[in-house]
Amino acid sequence: MHRFASDNDIDEYERQAIYKMVGAHMGRGYIAGHHRLVPTHGTTNANVVYYMAHWLDDNGTLTDDHLLIASFHGRKRIYRVCIDTSLKTFDRLLKAANQVAACQLDGLDWLMHNYGVKTVNKKKSVRYHHNIRDKCRCTHHRIRCAWMIALIRHILRDYLSEEEIREIIKKIKRNI
């Protein structure tokens, strides 16, 4: 997992910040856009297994054993794996990973627009492009602010009490 994170430039503070933005506090995966390494349980569970969600085809449950069957497509065949987790937990963690990926991809769209990589399609209405651009800018700004707050909280944890940290973060948020 560490190698996947370093190879795909997944920053730990950004990861924490985006998961917090989407409201998922447990079971954080390692997300790099469309490539999503997602846990089957909470990450502190001894039985946790990570899987690449972009290879996932479909899932279902076995009623006898209360196991989840996940189907993954390979290059030449389909693999079916039994996972000891509930469908509800599995779906919740996959949904959170998909939301994190969407946030990352929105931020990437904004950067591509700013750097001139993504061109505007003149056939689309100006209103449509304006709304998409504003959404991307807003997402990119929220990610940057949340990343900064997570980093500051981590640094100050060694020096200040939790109450003092909350006060400093309130002041920072007012200035952002």
Side-chain angles (χ1 to χ4, degrees):
M1 289 181 293
H2 176 71
R3 181 157 181 192
F4 178 79
S6 63
D7 287 351
N8 290 288
D9 198 25
I10 299 171
D11 181 78
E12 180 62 27
Y13 299 112
E14 181 180 318
R15 183 173 157 249
Q16 290 174 11
I18 298 174
Y19 263 98
K20 188 174 182 180
M21 282 173 48
V22 300
H25 304 288
M26 295 171 36
R28 293 183 185 131
Y30 293 87
I31 313 300
H34 294 292
H35 297 250
R36 303 176 315 272
L37 187 58
V38 182
T40 56
H41 298 81
T43 54
T44 58
N45 188 318
N47 296 325
V48 68
V49 175
Y50 286 80
Y51 65 95
M52 295 302 292
H54 62 279
W55 293 109
L56 184 65
D57 277 336
D58 201 1
N59 56 56
T61 55
L62 284 173
T63 55
D64 294 340
D65 301 320
H66 303 289
L67 295 174
L68 175 93
I69 296 179
S71 297
F72 297 91
H73 63 276
R75 286 185 171 79
K76 296 182 180 179
R77 51 199 304 193
I78 293 176
Y79 300 93
R80 287 184 180 79
V81 180
C82 290
I83 303 170
D84 185 17
T85 189
S86 72
L87 182 61
K88 184 178 175 181
T89 300
F90 188 85
D91 285 341
R92 179 178 50 83
L93 296 174
L94 183 59
K95 180 182 175 188
N98 291 340
Q99 289 173 330
V100 169
C103 285
Q104 287 179 343
L105 293 171
D106 282 348
L108 180 62
D109 280 346
W110 175 247
L111 287 173
M112 288 170 55
H113 169 75
N114 279 345
Y115 290 127
V117 175
K118 190 171 188 176
T119 58
V120 177
N121 185 349
K122 299 288 184 188
K123 293 180 182 177
K124 291 185 179 179
S125 71
V126 174
R127 182 173 169 237
Y128 173 79
H129 179 68
H130 181 70
N131 288 339
I132 295 297
R133 187 175 69 218
D134 284 350
K135 178 185 172 219
C136 294
R137 181 178 55 79
C138 179
T139 302
H140 181 69
H141 178 73
R142 286 177 52 214
I143 291 170
R144 286 178 51 201
C145 291
W147 176 85
M148 184 178 67
I149 296 295
L151 179 63
I152 290 170
R153 183 179 300 277
H154 178 75
I155 292 169
L156 294 178
R157 203 175 286 153
D158 293 339
Y159 304 105
L160 302 173
S161 69
E162 189 59 37
E163 184 178 315
E164 292 171 317
I165 293 172
R166 276 195 297 269
E167 287 299 317
I168 290 171
I169 289 177
K170 279 183 190 177
K171 290 178 185 177
I172 291 170
K173 285 182 178 179
R174 276 184 289 213
N175 290 325
I176 297 176

